[in-house]
Amino acid sequence: MRSHPQIALGLALGLAVATFAAASPASAADFDGDGHEDLVVGALFREVEGFGSAGSASALYGSEQPLSTNRSQFITQAAPGMHDETWYGDNLGWAIATGDFNGDGRDDVAISALKENIGRHYGAGVVQVLYGARDGISLS
């Protein structure tokens, strides 16, 4: 079973600025390894389960056909494999970065929750790392 590391952000202004400069709320990659580009998009102000600005991300999987929502995945902090819960103002999807983080040949995704609380560090922020798999982004 793979671990999903969380990296605390926002505790140092320099780290927050570096993250902002290196990532965006959308990124293209090949999460399922099928040779077609996939897209993941953040919606940081989306209301989720009644929690305003909880945020979410959506993955759209490419094929030989134009990109569509026929094969997609909705990701919130309440999804299995995420290390937290959906809450007001977390802003999941604020920044998204992709790459083959674990070296398995499939792209992975790091999704930030800009204002996530870490213990008593309110608004510290986290990055959730999710790994690519044959069926797409793994949430387990």
Side-chain angles (χ1 to χ4, degrees):
M1 180 157 181
R2 293 185 180 145
S3 65
H4 299 275
Q6 290 186 350
I7 303 169
L9 290 179
L11 296 177
L13 180 59
L15 182 56
V17 170
T19 300
F20 177 74
S24 69
S27 188
D30 185 9
F31 304 115
D32 54 8
D34 66 357
H36 299 287
E37 218 168 55
D38 308 317
L39 179 68
V40 64
V41 179
L44 65 153
F45 297 114
R46 183 182 186 115
E47 181 177 313
V48 178
E49 299 177 2
F51 298 106
S53 296
S56 67
S58 294
L60 305 171
Y61 293 94
S63 68
E64 293 178 5
Q65 302 300 314
L67 198 62
S68 76
T69 58
N70 290 342
R71 184 166 168 239
S72 63
Q73 188 173 14
F74 183 65
I75 302 167
T76 69
Q77 287 187 259
M82 298 293 270
H83 289 281
D84 202 5
E85 57 189 34
T86 299
W87 195 248
Y88 295 101
D90 282 346
N91 298 127
L92 181 70
W94 180 75
I96 295 173
T98 59
D100 186 3
F101 305 141
N102 60 358
D104 69 352
R106 291 186 178 93
D107 286 322
D108 310 306
V109 61
I111 306 171
S112 73
L114 175 66
K115 297 182 181 176
E116 175 66 36
N117 298 331
I118 306 294
R120 289 185 277 172
H121 300 281
Y122 298 102
V126 298
V127 173
Q128 300 272 358
V129 177
L130 304 172
Y131 297 100
R134 190 175 75 189
D135 295 327
I137 296 170
S138 176
L139 293 173
S140 60

